[in-house]
Amino acid sequence: MFDFNKYDDASLIHNYDGFIDQNGNYYKVSHRRQSKNIDSHNEWAKAFLKQKLNIDDYNFNKFYSSIFSSVLLNGPAEILINCFGYVYYSHDAIIYKPIIKLPNPKILNYRVTQEQLDMLYSVMLYNNEDTNISIFYDDNDEYTYCGIEDGGYQRKFKY
């Protein structure tokens, strides 16, 4: 049901939403323009955590960790992003603009890698999307990007 294969050729995955690991490998989650379940990234991440990373329980006891009690980790996709350093790449189901989430280094010190940015950039070029966005700049502290009609709306992800 889920595709857990690693892809490193942007021409093979540009029509898919997915995750990018720290080495720049792309994992297909769902077809980009297919009518889809809004929670497909969470479903894929839950299965990936269990089947590939052997993690059955990703709920953190907030009484033991003040860090996890103060941050927003609201599902398997957020766990994969901030606890394992993956990049989230998806599209809005109505206007098909990109939605990107990078790992926040303030949580577990994972930072987006150059390999991840290179893959993301390549996929966005294949998809004819605007790549002149702040997450590609060295001095950024942006962890999400939500594209809209006028080139993009960017905001800091608050934890």
Side-chain angles (χ1 to χ4, degrees):
M1 179 176 179
F2 296 106
D3 184 354
F4 295 136
N5 294 309
K6 297 177 183 180
Y7 297 89
D8 60 5
D9 183 349
S11 68
L12 299 176
I13 46 89
H14 71 278
N15 284 320
Y16 291 88
D17 290 341
F19 286 101
I20 306 169
D21 71 16
Q22 291 271 292
N23 296 316
N25 297 307
Y26 198 93
Y27 294 86
K28 294 178 184 178
V29 170
S30 61
H31 196 272
R32 182 167 74 110
R33 294 199 183 253
Q34 183 180 19
S35 176
K36 61 184 178 189
N37 177 355
I38 196 165
D39 214 24
S40 59
H41 272 74
N42 273 321
E43 291 172 4
W44 187 95
K46 182 178 180 179
F48 186 80
L49 286 167
K50 185 174 184 174
Q51 295 175 28
K52 292 298 183 182
L53 300 180
N54 296 317
I55 298 172
D56 288 325
D57 184 13
Y58 49 83
N59 294 316
F60 300 101
N61 186 334
K62 295 181 180 187
F63 294 110
Y64 293 136
S65 174
S66 58
I67 292 173
F68 290 125
S69 66
S70 65
V71 298
L72 178 63
L73 295 175
N74 60 1
E78 291 290 336
I79 300 294
L80 207 53
I81 296 164
N82 290 300
C83 297
F84 294 96
Y86 284 66
V87 169
Y88 172 104
Y89 176 68
S90 187
H91 291 82
D92 180 80
I94 297 172
I95 61 173
Y96 301 113
K97 295 294 183 177
I99 301 166
I100 301 165
K101 294 182 181 183
L102 307 179
N104 183 337
K106 295 176 184 173
I107 297 177
L108 283 177
N109 207 27
Y110 279 103
R111 297 178 188 284
V112 65
T113 65
Q114 190 59 51
E115 292 83 1
Q116 287 173 309
L117 291 175
D118 290 346
M119 176 57 82
L120 179 61
Y121 189 85
S122 296
V123 172
M124 290 179 74
L125 283 178
Y126 269 101
N127 288 334
N128 294 316
E129 295 170 340
D130 185 8
T131 56
N132 188 22
I133 57 177
S134 67
I135 62 171
F136 290 115
Y137 302 135
D138 286 338
D139 60 348
N140 83 75
D141 62 351
E142 302 283 332
Y143 307 115
T144 62
Y145 171 82
C146 300
I148 58 172
E149 307 269 351
D150 64 353
Y153 166 76
Q154 300 153 6
R155 67 177 175 85
K156 289 184 182 176
F157 194 75
K158 301 292 182 188
Y159 288 100

